[in-house]
Amino acid sequence: MVAIRPKVARLKASAVLLGPAFVAAIAYVDPGNVATNTAAGARYGYLLVWVLVVANVMAGLVQYLSAKLGLVTGMSLPEAVRDRMPKPVRLAYWGQAEVVAMATDLAEVLGGAIALGLLFDLPLLVGGLITGVVSTVLLLVQDRGGQRPFERVVTTLLVVIAVGFAAGLFVDPPSAGATVGGLLPRFDGAESVLLAAGMLGATVMPHAVYLHSALARDRHGKPAEGEPRRRLLAATKVDVVIAMVLAGAVNLAMLLLAASSLQGSPDVDSLEGVHAAVGAQLGGGIALLFAIGLLASGFASTAVGCYAGAVVMDGLLRFRIPLLTRRLITLVPALVVLSVGVDPTQALVLSQVVLSFGIPFALVPLVWLTASRSVMGTATNRVGTTVAAGVVSVAVIALNLVLVYLTFA
């Protein structure tokens, strides 16, 4: 009994350090991921299971490097970039980041609006307004209550998302053998390549890369070199692994749900179509949970996206506006798109294309900075880590270019 107590105390102390990665992980279960994962499962069954596994490993490495940069330097990624750029380049860099932030907000608000339409038959514009209001309340939690309460709220929403998308698997369990068979990398025609590119390309979201460095810094500060920093870096690895395993499991649940229950169903190219197919195949209760999961995804991801936009502006320009003011500014473009009657599925696709252009601006500086001894000191990446991160960056950037080309072609 006496020997157990120190272990329990150490576990509690480690658990207190967890949290920032769970906020960043929301970017990996946003409405765009729901659309691509369910489409992949409904069209190709278990074929692309391996894509999600590879994507999750890639995303975990990138998120750890972002958090590591924040802990070691005491700066967010945008701040570290700012100090190495002349003003004109910095302004241009900020401009592209703002465009990407607005595209991100469009996808997240749209997901919440669609979910509210499914649940309460609300028009998209009304659903978008409600999503904006709820995300504003979530931001108030962060702005006035601090980071820890915000982490708890977002983590709770992440659990709701997981339950919403995984519930159907208990009604119609997927084939274990087919799931394992899906781990073998392969394709089935050009359309499966396009879907795989969308799934892989959407794993590394620019705003999550920028944000995680600030989340780690704000939670833990800049620990002194030596044992304090080693302990926090170790805890950060655990934080990232747990958060990404949970996000990866949610994404896998989406694909397996579609593979086991929706394969061959008509009209599964839209979120509304997927919801209708879930209801037809698994019943109204599972369809309700699916819609609730989508709603939680929209609410959480749009709040996290806006928070990330504020981190980028403050870091690059040393200019801060009230978080609520920023929420209103970034919400307007999404509401305009909803008000003019743009097809929701087309809007989601276009938002992912815009996001693709922002990925190199986040990944390349991250790999370069964490590999620089002048920036990281003794915490510089090992050669193997830098090579792996470089390969991941090249792969993600190439896949996004392929996705953009195939989308327009």
Side-chain angles (χ1 to χ4, degrees):
M1 184 68 177
V2 176
I4 293 176
R5 286 177 180 172
K7 294 181 180 179
V8 173
R10 285 197 296 270
L11 286 174
K12 288 182 178 179
S14 298
V16 170
L17 302 176
L18 306 182
F22 286 82
V23 177
I26 286 293
Y28 300 98
V29 290
D30 71 355
N33 291 92
V34 180
T36 55
N37 293 331
T38 52
R43 292 184 198 174
Y44 297 102
Y46 303 89
L47 179 74
L48 300 179
V49 167
W50 67 273
V51 175
L52 288 181
V53 175
V54 172
N56 213 51
V57 173
M58 292 164 57
L61 175 60
V62 169
Q63 292 305 140
Y64 172 68
L65 292 183
S66 177
K68 178 182 176 183
L69 176 71
L71 280 173
V72 173
T73 66
M75 295 186 292
S76 68
L77 177 57
E79 288 173 331
V81 169
R82 175 197 65 206
D83 290 347
R84 290 157 179 82
M85 282 186 175
K87 186 174 182 180
V89 177
R90 188 166 67 245
L91 288 173
Y93 190 99
W94 169 75
Q96 64 80 27
E98 285 295 331
V99 172
V100 170
M102 290 180 183
T104 302
D105 209 35
L106 170 61
E108 324 303 28
V109 170
L110 187 57
I114 291 173
L116 287 168
L118 296 174
L119 289 167
F120 306 109
D121 199 26
L122 295 176
L124 282 179
L125 180 57
V126 175
L129 284 168
I130 294 174
T131 301
V133 170
V134 173
S135 65
T136 301
V137 173
L138 293 178
L139 288 170
L140 277 173
V141 172
Q142 190 279 330
D143 197 37
R144 298 182 180 180
Q147 187 171 323
R148 292 293 294 278
F150 183 66
E151 289 174 2
R152 294 191 188 102
V153 171
V154 170
T155 301
T156 300
L157 287 173
L158 184 57
V159 173
V160 173
I161 295 166
V163 172
F165 294 134
L169 299 180
F170 295 94
V171 177
D172 185 12
S175 166
T179 302
V180 173
L183 295 174
L184 177 65
R186 63 195 190 281
F187 296 104
D188 182 16
E191 188 67 21
S192 66
V193 177
L194 175 60
L195 262 178
M199 294 162 69
L200 274 170
T203 51
V204 182
M205 307 292 281
H207 69 284
V209 180
Y210 294 127
L211 179 61
H212 203 169
S213 56
L215 290 169
R217 175 205 60 192
D218 293 344
R219 169 69 101 84
H220 304 303
K222 184 182 178 182
E225 185 176 350
E227 182 57 30
R229 191 164 75 185
R230 282 195 295 272
R231 185 169 64 89
L232 280 175
L233 287 174
T236 297
K237 285 182 182 178
V238 174
D239 191 26
V240 170
V241 168
I242 296 175
M244 296 312 302
V245 166
L246 178 56
V250 173
N251 281 311
L252 185 59
M254 299 175 197
L255 188 147
L256 294 180
L257 174 70
S260 62
S261 306
L262 307 184
Q263 200 170 3
S265 299
D267 304 322
V268 289
D269 290 330
S270 67
L271 291 173
E272 297 93 336
V274 171
H275 176 263
V278 168
Q281 297 296 325
L282 302 176
I286 300 300
L288 174 63
L289 289 174
F290 181 89
I292 291 173
L294 179 61
L295 182 62
S297 170
F299 284 168
S301 56
T302 189
V304 170
C306 184
Y307 185 13
V311 167
V312 171
M313 174 179 280
D314 184 33
L316 288 173
L317 303 185
R318 288 195 177 100
F319 181 72
R320 182 177 299 179
I321 61 176
L323 204 55
L324 297 184
T325 303
R326 181 176 178 84
R327 165 72 285 190
L328 294 175
I329 293 173
T330 55
L331 183 62
V332 168
L335 295 180
V336 169
V337 170
L338 293 177
S339 66
V340 298
V342 174
D343 178 76
T345 302
Q346 289 183 344
L348 269 176
V349 171
L350 289 176
S351 69
Q352 298 305 305
V353 170
V354 174
L355 286 175
S356 299
F357 289 107
I359 287 175
F361 295 97
L363 288 187
V364 174
L366 176 66
V367 176
W368 170 58
L369 289 167
T370 54
S372 171
R373 184 163 293 276
S374 64
V375 175
M376 302 292 289
T378 57
T380 304
N381 291 341
R382 295 177 180 175
V383 174
T385 303
T386 299
V387 170
V391 170
V392 167
S393 300
V394 171
V396 172
I397 292 168
L399 284 167
N400 276 276
L401 291 175
V402 169
L403 179 61
V404 171
Y405 171 75
L406 292 177
T407 299
F408 287 109

